[in-house]
Amino acid sequence: MSPFFALRSAIRVLTLALSANIASSAASVLLISIDGLRPDSVTAAAEHGVKIPNLRRFMAEGAYAEGVTGVTPTITYPSHTTLVTGVWPAQHGILGNVKFDPLFENLGGWYWYASDIRVPTLWSVANEAGIVVASLNWPATVGAKGVRYLIPEYWRARTPDDRILIEALSRPDGWLQELESKLGPYTNGNETTVPGDELRTKYAVEILATRKPGFMTIHLSSLDETEHETSPFSKQSNEALEALDGMIGRLIAAATQDNPSGVVAVVSDHGFVRTDYRVSLMAPFIEHGLVKLGKPSASGTATVESWEAEPWIAGSAAIMLRRPEDTSVRERVKQMLTELAAKPDSGIARILDAEQVKKTGGFPGAAFLVELKPGYQFGSALTGPLVTPAPSTGTHGYLPDRPEMRSSFFILGRGIAAGKNLGLIDMRQIAPTLASILGVRLESAITPAISLK
């Protein structure tokens, strides 16, 4: 062997040894997301009549934030990607749940694909350090780099065939089918129910026991769905949270059993508010000729023939222009929005211009951003009145400076101070904090890590 190749081989062996040493000396981390979990659901559980001993355990035995200031928009996919990258949506690339689709051509397609993420993730840097990585039902993970054991969040028709899709998208090949032969069928697509989360928890416990990942992420979605349907702190929402608390207990046990270095973190993506009205912002854009509808499709769904300006509903509404340089259209939109906001029953709280939107770290390229008042959520009607009743429902997506939009962070395990109140933190701090526990670095995340000692 030539001296060059011998040196290169020795460097490779040394690198692998160092990676293995880092992986063995660092703690393992299980990151659990409870979609839509308000921090006061846990910190003020007694006031809300909720019995959640496993989540309350984090406050006594670990560290917790009084609240987490989120990102724009305060919705699931952008927030979950910030949780694993440490940067704003404008930087990481997952800008909403549903992609902007002005001509209604994408059949409601979401940001499912990890190829849209433009920065390193906790999964990729952990994998590069030799850590075994697993992920179950986390948003934007189809094809995620660095995840050895992957079951992504994905659906299309919400039928049993979606399970076949998920089997095809999971890795390694055939692994999900092996799990199903032991545990029973996996969920059918987007099953946002307590039984769906129970099944995900069952799978996660098996993965923790048999694959022993050094870093694993799991997303539980039933609380969010219940809060949308019945509002936060409703009887149904509290019951869903109590059921999830039992799942958290099982996940903690699985992650820490025979593993003294195990760390468990529970996070959420956004807060929640009760709503009683829907605002159909697309209707005035159609009425003012800014969007022209086409003939209904063969299936009877609406189509768009042409557009000059259109709202991208993503919790708040980003107003996108077909030609951003067209100042006349921009002024038409501004005048229309100003007139709408002047009506006291319109539900509009704030209108941000392009420069103000840019400072939020979300919706690059938006001409305006429309935020509603708490109590109002966006609807999808194309015709009819601007505002319609939607009693006892719930939503999120408002700007992150609203206290009701704060999300959660709870953590316990090796090296974590007991009973430490972290106060109010920035969502971008969570990924570098977990990276530090794992013994890895996220170079693109510049917000400082949280001190947990």
Side-chain angles (χ1 to χ4, degrees), residues 2 9 15 30-31 33 59 82 102 105 116 132 144 157 164 171 210 212 235 304 310 343 361 366 371 380 382 425:
S2 72
S9 178
T15 300
L30 171 63
L31 177 60
S33 167
M59 296 182 66
T82 293
E105 295 174 326
D116 287 318
V132 175
I164 301 172
R171 73 165 78 101
T210 60
K212 302 189 183 305
K235 178 177 181 291
V304 170
E310 190 171 322
K343 300 176 181 179
E371 184 204 35
S380 57
L382 304 180
I425 65 172

PDB file of all heavy atoms in Angstrom, residues 2 9 15 30-31 33 59 82 102 105 116 132 144 157 164 171 210 212 235 304 310 343 361 366 371 380 382 425:
ATOM      1  N   SER A   2       0.558   2.230  -0.826  1.00  0.00           N
ATOM      2  CA  SER A   2       1.352   3.453  -0.888  1.00  0.00           C
ATOM      3  C   SER A   2       1.209   4.236   0.409  1.00  0.00           C
ATOM      4  O   SER A   2       0.223   4.095   1.128  1.00  0.00           O
ATOM      5  CB  SER A   2       0.893   4.322  -2.060  1.00  0.00           C
ATOM      6  OG  SER A   2      -0.372   4.887  -1.780  1.00  0.00           O
ATOM      7  N   SER A   9      -6.121   5.716   5.113  1.00  0.00           N
ATOM      8  CA  SER A   9      -6.781   4.641   5.848  1.00  0.00           C
ATOM      9  C   SER A   9      -6.671   4.859   7.349  1.00  0.00           C
ATOM     10  O   SER A   9      -7.632   4.653   8.103  1.00  0.00           O
ATOM     11  CB  SER A   9      -6.162   3.294   5.464  1.00  0.00           C
ATOM     12  OG  SER A   9      -6.750   2.254   6.196  1.00  0.00           O
ATOM     13  N   THR A  15     -10.929   8.659  12.614  1.00  0.00           N
ATOM     14  CA  THR A  15     -12.192   9.404  12.584  1.00  0.00           C
ATOM     15  C   THR A  15     -13.344   8.551  13.098  1.00  0.00           C
ATOM     16  O   THR A  15     -14.170   9.004  13.894  1.00  0.00           O
ATOM     17  CB  THR A  15     -12.497   9.878  11.149  1.00  0.00           C
ATOM     18  OG1 THR A  15     -11.443  10.721  10.707  1.00  0.00           O
ATOM     19  CG2 THR A  15     -13.814  10.645  11.090  1.00  0.00           C
ATOM     20  N   LEU A  30     -34.322  11.153  23.453  1.00  0.00           N
ATOM     21  CA  LEU A  30     -35.624  10.894  22.847  1.00  0.00           C
ATOM     22  C   LEU A  30     -36.376  12.215  22.845  1.00  0.00           C
ATOM     23  O   LEU A  30     -36.626  12.807  23.902  1.00  0.00           O
ATOM     24  CB  LEU A  30     -36.412   9.845  23.642  1.00  0.00           C
ATOM     25  CG  LEU A  30     -37.874   9.654  23.211  1.00  0.00           C
ATOM     26  CD1 LEU A  30     -37.970   9.141  21.779  1.00  0.00           C
ATOM     27  CD2 LEU A  30     -38.602   8.710  24.178  1.00  0.00           C
ATOM     28  N   LEU A  31     -36.722  12.698  21.662  1.00  0.00           N
ATOM     29  CA  LEU A  31     -37.442  13.962  21.499  1.00  0.00           C
ATOM     30  C   LEU A  31     -38.882  13.657  21.109  1.00  0.00           C
ATOM     31  O   LEU A  31     -39.145  13.128  20.024  1.00  0.00           O
ATOM     32  CB  LEU A  31     -36.762  14.815  20.424  1.00  0.00           C
ATOM     33  CG  LEU A  31     -37.425  16.156  20.077  1.00  0.00           C
ATOM     34  CD1 LEU A  31     -37.501  17.067  21.299  1.00  0.00           C
ATOM     35  CD2 LEU A  31     -36.674  16.834  18.927  1.00  0.00           C
ATOM     36  N   SER A  33     -42.688  15.105  20.467  1.00  0.00           N
ATOM     37  CA  SER A  33     -43.518  16.277  20.202  1.00  0.00           C
ATOM     38  C   SER A  33     -44.978  15.937  20.447  1.00  0.00           C
ATOM     39  O   SER A  33     -45.510  14.994  19.864  1.00  0.00           O
ATOM     40  CB  SER A  33     -43.352  16.757  18.757  1.00  0.00           C
ATOM     41  OG  SER A  33     -44.377  17.683  18.434  1.00  0.00           O
ATOM     42  N   MET A  59     -41.340  18.718  35.688  1.00  0.00           N
ATOM     43  CA  MET A  59     -41.168  19.942  36.465  1.00  0.00           C
ATOM     44  C   MET A  59     -40.429  19.670  37.775  1.00  0.00           C
ATOM     45  O   MET A  59     -39.675  20.519  38.251  1.00  0.00           O
ATOM     46  CB  MET A  59     -42.526  20.574  36.747  1.00  0.00           C
ATOM     47  CG  MET A  59     -43.257  21.045  35.492  1.00  0.00           C
ATOM     48  SD  MET A  59     -44.830  21.834  35.866  1.00  0.00           S
ATOM     49  CE  MET A  59     -44.255  23.298  36.745  1.00  0.00           C
ATOM     50  N   THR A  82     -37.915  23.816  12.636  1.00  0.00           N
ATOM     51  CA  THR A  82     -37.077  24.660  13.497  1.00  0.00           C
ATOM     52  C   THR A  82     -36.596  23.876  14.710  1.00  0.00           C
ATOM     53  O   THR A  82     -35.450  24.036  15.149  1.00  0.00           O
ATOM     54  CB  THR A  82     -37.852  25.919  13.930  1.00  0.00           C
ATOM     55  OG1 THR A  82     -38.078  26.736  12.783  1.00  0.00           O
ATOM     56  CG2 THR A  82     -37.092  26.718  14.981  1.00  0.00           C
ATOM     57  N   PRO A 102     -51.135  28.442  -6.102  1.00  0.00           N
ATOM     58  CA  PRO A 102     -52.123  29.432  -6.533  1.00  0.00           C
ATOM     59  C   PRO A 102     -53.118  28.939  -7.569  1.00  0.00           C
ATOM     60  O   PRO A 102     -54.227  29.470  -7.661  1.00  0.00           O
ATOM     61  CB  PRO A 102     -51.260  30.570  -7.085  1.00  0.00           C
ATOM     62  CG  PRO A 102     -49.957  29.932  -7.450  1.00  0.00           C
ATOM     63  CD  PRO A 102     -49.762  28.852  -6.433  1.00  0.00           C
ATOM     64  N   GLU A 105     -53.281  23.169  -8.233  1.00  0.00           N
ATOM     65  CA  GLU A 105     -52.826  22.049  -9.051  1.00  0.00           C
ATOM     66  C   GLU A 105     -52.197  20.921  -8.231  1.00  0.00           C
ATOM     67  O   GLU A 105     -52.048  19.806  -8.733  1.00  0.00           O
ATOM     68  CB  GLU A 105     -51.789  22.536 -10.075  1.00  0.00           C
ATOM     69  CG  GLU A 105     -52.354  23.492 -11.095  1.00  0.00           C
ATOM     70  CD  GLU A 105     -51.275  24.078 -11.999  1.00  0.00           C
ATOM     71  OE1 GLU A 105     -50.145  24.300 -11.523  1.00  0.00           O
ATOM     72  OE2 GLU A 105     -51.573  24.306 -13.185  1.00  0.00           O
ATOM     73  N   ASP A 116     -36.756  19.467   0.900  1.00  0.00           N
ATOM     74  CA  ASP A 116     -37.025  20.903   0.962  1.00  0.00           C
ATOM     75  C   ASP A 116     -36.252  21.591   2.086  1.00  0.00           C
ATOM     76  O   ASP A 116     -36.200  22.825   2.142  1.00  0.00           O
ATOM     77  CB  ASP A 116     -38.523  21.163   1.159  1.00  0.00           C
ATOM     78  CG  ASP A 116     -39.342  20.891  -0.090  1.00  0.00           C
ATOM     79  OD1 ASP A 116     -38.879  21.272  -1.182  1.00  0.00           O
ATOM     80  OD2 ASP A 116     -40.437  20.302   0.016  1.00  0.00           O
ATOM     81  N   VAL A 132     -26.785   6.251  16.168  1.00  0.00           N
ATOM     82  CA  VAL A 132     -27.914   5.589  15.509  1.00  0.00           C
ATOM     83  C   VAL A 132     -29.146   6.487  15.664  1.00  0.00           C
ATOM     84  O   VAL A 132     -29.520   6.867  16.768  1.00  0.00           O
ATOM     85  CB  VAL A 132     -28.186   4.202  16.120  1.00  0.00           C
ATOM     86  CG1 VAL A 132     -29.446   3.591  15.506  1.00  0.00           C
ATOM     87  CG2 VAL A 132     -26.979   3.289  15.902  1.00  0.00           C
ATOM     88  N   ALA A 144     -35.566  11.663   4.634  1.00  0.00           N
ATOM     89  CA  ALA A 144     -34.673  12.426   5.519  1.00  0.00           C
ATOM     90  C   ALA A 144     -33.283  11.800   5.576  1.00  0.00           C
ATOM     91  O   ALA A 144     -33.135  10.603   5.834  1.00  0.00           O
ATOM     92  CB  ALA A 144     -35.261  12.518   6.918  1.00  0.00           C
ATOM     93  N   ALA A 157     -54.577   9.868   0.455  1.00  0.00           N
ATOM     94  CA  ALA A 157     -56.022   9.679   0.365  1.00  0.00           C
ATOM     95  C   ALA A 157     -56.675   9.402   1.711  1.00  0.00           C
ATOM     96  O   ALA A 157     -57.903   9.339   1.812  1.00  0.00           O
ATOM     97  CB  ALA A 157     -56.345   8.527  -0.601  1.00  0.00           C
ATOM     98  N   ILE A 164     -49.655   1.438   2.742  1.00  0.00           N
ATOM     99  CA  ILE A 164     -48.735   0.846   1.767  1.00  0.00           C
ATOM    100  C   ILE A 164     -47.721   1.890   1.310  1.00  0.00           C
ATOM    101  O   ILE A 164     -46.528   1.594   1.137  1.00  0.00           O
ATOM    102  CB  ILE A 164     -49.516   0.266   0.569  1.00  0.00           C
ATOM    103  CG1 ILE A 164     -50.508  -0.803   1.053  1.00  0.00           C
ATOM    104  CG2 ILE A 164     -48.577  -0.304  -0.480  1.00  0.00           C
ATOM    105  CD1 ILE A 164     -51.458  -1.293  -0.009  1.00  0.00           C
ATOM    106  N   ARG A 171     -37.642   3.245   6.020  1.00  0.00           N
ATOM    107  CA  ARG A 171     -36.362   2.564   5.836  1.00  0.00           C
ATOM    108  C   ARG A 171     -35.883   1.973   7.165  1.00  0.00           C
ATOM    109  O   ARG A 171     -36.262   2.495   8.224  1.00  0.00           O
ATOM    110  CB  ARG A 171     -35.298   3.506   5.252  1.00  0.00           C
ATOM    111  CG  ARG A 171     -34.738   4.544   6.185  1.00  0.00           C
ATOM    112  CD  ARG A 171     -33.472   5.142   5.618  1.00  0.00           C
ATOM    113  NE  ARG A 171     -33.737   6.109   4.585  1.00  0.00           N
ATOM    114  CZ  ARG A 171     -33.712   7.442   4.775  1.00  0.00           C
ATOM    115  NH1 ARG A 171     -33.454   7.929   5.977  1.00  0.00           N
ATOM    116  NH2 ARG A 171     -33.936   8.257   3.800  1.00  0.00           N
ATOM    117  N   THR A 210     -35.458  -2.446  20.693  1.00  0.00           N
ATOM    118  CA  THR A 210     -34.741  -3.356  19.794  1.00  0.00           C
ATOM    119  C   THR A 210     -33.630  -2.685  18.993  1.00  0.00           C
ATOM    120  O   THR A 210     -32.631  -3.319  18.666  1.00  0.00           O
ATOM    121  CB  THR A 210     -35.719  -4.038  18.826  1.00  0.00           C
ATOM    122  OG1 THR A 210     -36.390  -3.030  18.046  1.00  0.00           O
ATOM    123  CG2 THR A 210     -36.749  -4.860  19.589  1.00  0.00           C
ATOM    124  N   LYS A 212     -32.353   0.563  19.863  1.00  0.00           N
ATOM    125  CA  LYS A 212     -31.593   1.381  20.806  1.00  0.00           C
ATOM    126  C   LYS A 212     -30.948   2.611  20.141  1.00  0.00           C
ATOM    127  O   LYS A 212     -29.718   2.791  20.175  1.00  0.00           O
ATOM    128  CB  LYS A 212     -30.535   0.537  21.508  1.00  0.00           C
ATOM    129  CG  LYS A 212     -31.140  -0.648  22.262  1.00  0.00           C
ATOM    130  CD  LYS A 212     -30.140  -1.346  23.132  1.00  0.00           C
ATOM    131  CE  LYS A 212     -30.749  -2.568  23.824  1.00  0.00           C
ATOM    132  NZ  LYS A 212     -31.969  -2.241  24.596  1.00  0.00           N
ATOM    133  N   LYS A 235     -63.417  19.518  27.542  1.00  0.00           N
ATOM    134  CA  LYS A 235     -63.432  18.196  28.169  1.00  0.00           C
ATOM    135  C   LYS A 235     -62.711  17.180  27.280  1.00  0.00           C
ATOM    136  O   LYS A 235     -61.900  16.373  27.754  1.00  0.00           O
ATOM    137  CB  LYS A 235     -64.876  17.753  28.418  1.00  0.00           C
ATOM    138  CG  LYS A 235     -65.032  16.367  29.032  1.00  0.00           C
ATOM    139  CD  LYS A 235     -66.516  16.073  29.287  1.00  0.00           C
ATOM    140  CE  LYS A 235     -66.713  14.682  29.925  1.00  0.00           C
ATOM    141  NZ  LYS A 235     -66.386  13.586  28.984  1.00  0.00           N
ATOM    142  N   VAL A 304     -58.470  27.465 -10.419  1.00  0.00           N
ATOM    143  CA  VAL A 304     -58.121  28.867 -10.634  1.00  0.00           C
ATOM    144  C   VAL A 304     -57.584  29.004 -12.054  1.00  0.00           C
ATOM    145  O   VAL A 304     -56.635  28.309 -12.441  1.00  0.00           O
ATOM    146  CB  VAL A 304     -57.085  29.355  -9.616  1.00  0.00           C
ATOM    147  CG1 VAL A 304     -56.550  30.742  -9.994  1.00  0.00           C
ATOM    148  CG2 VAL A 304     -57.689  29.393  -8.223  1.00  0.00           C
ATOM    149  N   GLU A 310     -52.912  36.538  -4.253  1.00  0.00           N
ATOM    150  CA  GLU A 310     -53.693  35.469  -3.632  1.00  0.00           C
ATOM    151  C   GLU A 310     -53.202  35.214  -2.207  1.00  0.00           C
ATOM    152  O   GLU A 310     -51.986  35.246  -1.959  1.00  0.00           O
ATOM    153  CB  GLU A 310     -53.581  34.190  -4.456  1.00  0.00           C
ATOM    154  CG  GLU A 310     -54.526  33.080  -4.044  1.00  0.00           C
ATOM    155  CD  GLU A 310     -54.516  31.922  -5.031  1.00  0.00           C
ATOM    156  OE1 GLU A 310     -54.424  32.160  -6.266  1.00  0.00           O
ATOM    157  OE2 GLU A 310     -54.600  30.764  -4.568  1.00  0.00           O
ATOM    158  N   LYS A 343     -63.301  47.382   9.163  1.00  0.00           N
ATOM    159  CA  LYS A 343     -64.601  46.880   9.618  1.00  0.00           C
ATOM    160  C   LYS A 343     -64.407  46.158  10.946  1.00  0.00           C
ATOM    161  O   LYS A 343     -63.622  45.207  11.038  1.00  0.00           O
ATOM    162  CB  LYS A 343     -65.207  45.933   8.583  1.00  0.00           C
ATOM    163  CG  LYS A 343     -65.446  46.594   7.223  1.00  0.00           C
ATOM    164  CD  LYS A 343     -65.961  45.584   6.209  1.00  0.00           C
ATOM    165  CE  LYS A 343     -66.177  46.248   4.849  1.00  0.00           C
ATOM    166  NZ  LYS A 343     -66.655  45.271   3.828  1.00  0.00           N
ATOM    167  N   GLY A 361     -38.953  36.265   9.960  1.00  0.00           N
ATOM    168  CA  GLY A 361     -38.278  35.012   9.624  1.00  0.00           C
ATOM    169  C   GLY A 361     -39.165  34.006   8.914  1.00  0.00           C
ATOM    170  O   GLY A 361     -38.809  32.837   8.802  1.00  0.00           O
ATOM    171  N   ALA A 366     -43.429  37.372   0.541  1.00  0.00           N
ATOM    172  CA  ALA A 366     -44.806  37.818   0.745  1.00  0.00           C
ATOM    173  C   ALA A 366     -44.888  39.334   0.677  1.00  0.00           C
ATOM    174  O   ALA A 366     -44.032  40.042   1.209  1.00  0.00           O
ATOM    175  CB  ALA A 366     -45.329  37.330   2.089  1.00  0.00           C
ATOM    176  N   GLU A 371     -52.841  38.882   9.962  1.00  0.00           N
ATOM    177  CA  GLU A 371     -53.065  38.125  11.181  1.00  0.00           C
ATOM    178  C   GLU A 371     -54.458  38.436  11.702  1.00  0.00           C
ATOM    179  O   GLU A 371     -54.888  39.596  11.705  1.00  0.00           O
ATOM    180  CB  GLU A 371     -52.034  38.479  12.250  1.00  0.00           C
ATOM    181  CG  GLU A 371     -52.178  37.624  13.509  1.00  0.00           C
ATOM    182  CD  GLU A 371     -51.601  38.278  14.760  1.00  0.00           C
ATOM    183  OE1 GLU A 371     -51.678  39.515  14.891  1.00  0.00           O
ATOM    184  OE2 GLU A 371     -51.096  37.541  15.622  1.00  0.00           O
ATOM    185  N   SER A 380     -62.032  28.430   4.278  1.00  0.00           N
ATOM    186  CA  SER A 380     -61.639  28.141   2.896  1.00  0.00           C
ATOM    187  C   SER A 380     -62.728  28.447   1.876  1.00  0.00           C
ATOM    188  O   SER A 380     -62.557  28.148   0.691  1.00  0.00           O
ATOM    189  CB  SER A 380     -61.250  26.660   2.777  1.00  0.00           C
ATOM    190  OG  SER A 380     -62.330  25.832   3.191  1.00  0.00           O
ATOM    191  N   LEU A 382     -64.929  30.128  -0.942  1.00  0.00           N
ATOM    192  CA  LEU A 382     -64.560  31.000  -2.059  1.00  0.00           C
ATOM    193  C   LEU A 382     -65.629  32.045  -2.340  1.00  0.00           C
ATOM    194  O   LEU A 382     -65.366  33.016  -3.061  1.00  0.00           O
ATOM    195  CB  LEU A 382     -64.313  30.160  -3.315  1.00  0.00           C
ATOM    196  CG  LEU A 382     -63.268  29.054  -3.180  1.00  0.00           C
ATOM    197  CD1 LEU A 382     -63.122  28.304  -4.497  1.00  0.00           C
ATOM    198  CD2 LEU A 382     -61.927  29.614  -2.742  1.00  0.00           C
ATOM    199  N   ILE A 425     -38.121  30.956  26.596  1.00  0.00           N
ATOM    200  CA  ILE A 425     -36.997  30.681  25.701  1.00  0.00           C
ATOM    201  C   ILE A 425     -37.437  30.841  24.251  1.00  0.00           C
ATOM    202  O   ILE A 425     -38.625  30.969  23.948  1.00  0.00           O
ATOM    203  CB  ILE A 425     -36.409  29.269  25.935  1.00  0.00           C
ATOM    204  CG1 ILE A 425     -37.428  28.188  25.564  1.00  0.00           C
ATOM    205  CG2 ILE A 425     -35.943  29.108  27.384  1.00  0.00           C
ATOM    206  CD1 ILE A 425     -36.859  26.775  25.573  1.00  0.00           C
TER     207      ILE A 425
END
